[in-house]
Amino acid sequence: MNYELSRMNAVQSPIIPVVGELIKNSPGTISLGQGVVHYSPPPEAMEILPKFLAEANNHVYQAVVGIPQLLSALTTKLSTFNGIDINNESCIVVTAGSNMGFMNAILAITCPGDEIILNIPYYFNHEMAIRMAGCCPILVGTDENYQLRPEAIAQAITTKTRAIVTISPNNPTGVVYSETALHQVNEICRKKGIYHISDEAYEYFTYDGVKHISPGAFSGSSEYTISLYSLSKAYGFASWRIGYMVIPQHLLNAVKKVQDTILICPPVVSQYAAVGALQAKDDYLRDNIRAIAQVRQVVVNELKQLQGFCTITPANGAFYFFLKVHTQIDAFELVKQLIQEHQVAVIPGTTFGMEDGCYLRVAYGALQQDTAKSGIERLVKGLKQILSSSFSR
């Protein structure tokens, strides 16, 4: 029988499982691939779980938007860290990770055929979600340092545009967008009557004195700004699947329809753990992020050896570097070679929309310092050997 192809045929396949399979077939490979942290949730997240188990009502469905204890804790966090006050114009919705928050937002604000502006390189799950919704991602290039180009973004807007997406600190590049550029994009959205979707999953991961900026804190922006957050990174919460979104009040009914259909409510046990995590002592985040900053410095020092082989853009956020490799080799083929011949894994830039040239995302958050040093040494040695061999042909 012949069946019509579904919209899913236009959606790229997730790259992480593909690279994971290559790693499995090459035992001993050090992965600089997946964007997770090496540390576990704070003890407070586990210590609160008996309270969850003690209440029989926790085994039935809870509120679509999240349990009151977590919403209260997030309200305080948003005010103190992000400068965002929850009031009559805005509200919080707890989600099963910030990826779900993005999907909620796209389904709430679009009709099939609408356009969403992504800056490239983009985060691949954003592009996938837009296509799943039957919408069209409109790709706008960043500058040579992967910074926003507000004028180019403005020129890409059409009558079908519904939102502009920014990610800062950025995945996959690790750059942090300036307050000026984010404000310009936010103003464009206000003037055009479209939404600014701000993905801030890496908000705590900034280095060298760089400060995180939340567009939702800009004066008057709450009516059209959708802010996405996650506990997956900073709190070592990847498998617990807890994120949250701050949305304009007028979108709440639409978002609740989406969430009730897909999820009903975020896992209550994970929400309880999140309440505990947010009670962690200040030194939990400070010490863990300091350790990642030390790993980052090791990576920076090692990558200097690739000058002439790669363009390495400075990055003051998240836990990524995005390399432009000076070669005609296909990015995925290069990744396969690095895994199979040098036992180190990275992610090809093509999955982030970078089709013109060879790019690699290097992730360093998942490793302790010694392992990260070994992994980055393998990467440097492998790239030098592969590229020198290709140059000499």
Side-chain angles (χ1 to χ4, degrees), residues 44-75:
E44 290 86 348
M46 305 302 116
E47 291 164 0
I48 203 172
L49 294 182
K51 291 185 179 180
F52 165 81
L53 295 170
E55 176 56 63
N57 194 47
N58 284 331
H59 303 296
V60 298
Y61 300 131
Q62 298 293 313
V64 173
V65 298
I67 61 174
Q69 306 97 299
L70 183 52
L71 293 172
S72 175
L74 293 174
T75 298

Side-chain angles (χ1 to χ4, degrees), residues 12-322:
Q12 66 167 300
S13 296
I15 190 66
I16 299 297
V18 175
V19 173
E21 191 65 23
L22 290 170
I23 293 171
K24 189 171 75 173
N25 293 330
S26 185
T29 295
I30 295 176
S31 178
L32 300 170
Q34 194 159 22
V36 293
V37 295
H38 68 264
Y39 56 87
S40 299
E44 290 86 348
M46 305 302 116
E47 291 164 0
I48 203 172
L49 294 182
K51 291 185 179 180
F52 165 81
L53 295 170
E55 176 56 63
N57 194 47
N58 284 331
H59 303 296
V60 298
Y61 300 131
Q62 298 293 313
V64 173
V65 298
I67 61 174
Q69 306 97 299
L70 183 52
L71 293 172
S72 175
L74 293 174
T75 298
T76 301
K77 177 266 175 183
L78 286 161
S79 178
T80 56
F81 186 79
N82 302 97
I84 296 175
D85 293 322
I86 302 301
N87 49 40
N88 293 334
E89 295 179 350
S90 60
C91 55
I92 304 169
V93 177
V94 180
T95 59
S98 60
N99 269 12
M100 182 172 186
F102 187 82
M103 193 82 231
N104 284 355
I106 296 300
L107 291 173
I109 68 174
T110 65
C111 294
D114 284 344
E115 297 173 351
I116 304 291
I117 292 177
L118 297 180
N119 297 282
I120 52 173
Y122 52 62
Y123 171 45
F124 53 83
N125 282 139
H126 285 174
E127 191 260 356
M128 293 165 70
I130 291 164
R131 292 196 184 278
M132 284 181 193
C135 296
C136 182
I138 301 300
L139 309 182
V140 176
T142 47
D143 70 14
E144 65 276 8
N145 292 315
Y146 304 124
Q147 292 288 336
L148 297 173
R149 296 165 57 227
E151 303 84 0
I153 292 170
Q155 290 173 2
I157 295 171
T158 72
T159 56
K160 292 184 176 182
T161 306
R162 294 295 170 261
I164 299 168
V165 179
T166 60
I167 311 168
S168 184
N170 189 262
N171 178 9
T173 66
V175 304
V176 179
Y177 297 149
S178 70
E179 182 172 1
T180 299
L182 287 169
H183 199 277
Q184 286 177 295
V185 171
N186 200 257
E187 271 293 290
I188 290 168
C189 292
R190 182 186 66 80
K191 290 176 181 177
K192 295 292 186 178
I194 59 179
Y195 293 98
H196 182 177
I197 302 177
S198 174
D199 186 328
E200 302 172 41
Y202 298 88
E203 58 184 327
Y204 291 104
F205 297 91
T206 58
Y207 315 100
D208 299 334
V210 173
K211 187 174 180 292
H212 173 66
I213 301 297
S214 294
F218 296 151
S219 178
S221 71
S222 58
E223 287 187 23
Y224 55 90
T225 304
I226 299 169
S227 305
L228 306 178
Y229 302 96
S230 174
L231 271 70
S232 293
K233 312 302 180 183
Y235 288 94
F237 242 62
S239 73
W240 291 84
R241 307 314 304 137
I242 291 292
Y244 53 103
M245 54 196 309
V246 179
I247 60 173
Q249 188 70 39
H250 65 259
L251 286 179
L252 179 58
N253 190 43
V255 167
K256 285 170 72 173
K257 289 178 183 178
V258 177
Q259 181 136 304
D260 185 72
T261 300
I262 295 174
L263 186 66
I264 298 183
C265 68
V268 180
V269 63
S270 296
Q271 291 190 69
Y272 264 79
V275 171
L278 292 168
Q279 295 170 0
K281 297 178 178 65
D282 290 345
D283 58 5
Y284 170 79
L285 286 179
R286 185 179 63 245
D287 292 349
N288 280 312
I289 292 171
R290 182 187 295 135
I292 286 183
Q294 291 168 349
V295 173
R296 173 181 174 271
Q297 195 55 52
V298 169
V299 174
V300 169
N301 293 340
E302 291 295 328
L303 288 178
K304 288 177 182 176
Q305 299 180 53
L306 289 175
Q307 289 178 358
F309 294 94
C310 301
T311 299
I312 303 158
T313 300
N316 292 311
F319 30 77
Y320 305 113
F321 284 98
F322 201 66

Side-chain angles (χ1 to χ4, degrees), residues 339-361:
I339 294 171
Q340 293 164 355
E341 299 173 15
H342 300 277
Q343 292 188 303
V344 62
V346 289
I347 303 298
T350 43
T351 200
F352 305 102
M354 301 297 277
E355 302 285 350
D356 185 16
C358 181
Y359 297 82
L360 302 174
R361 188 190 75 174

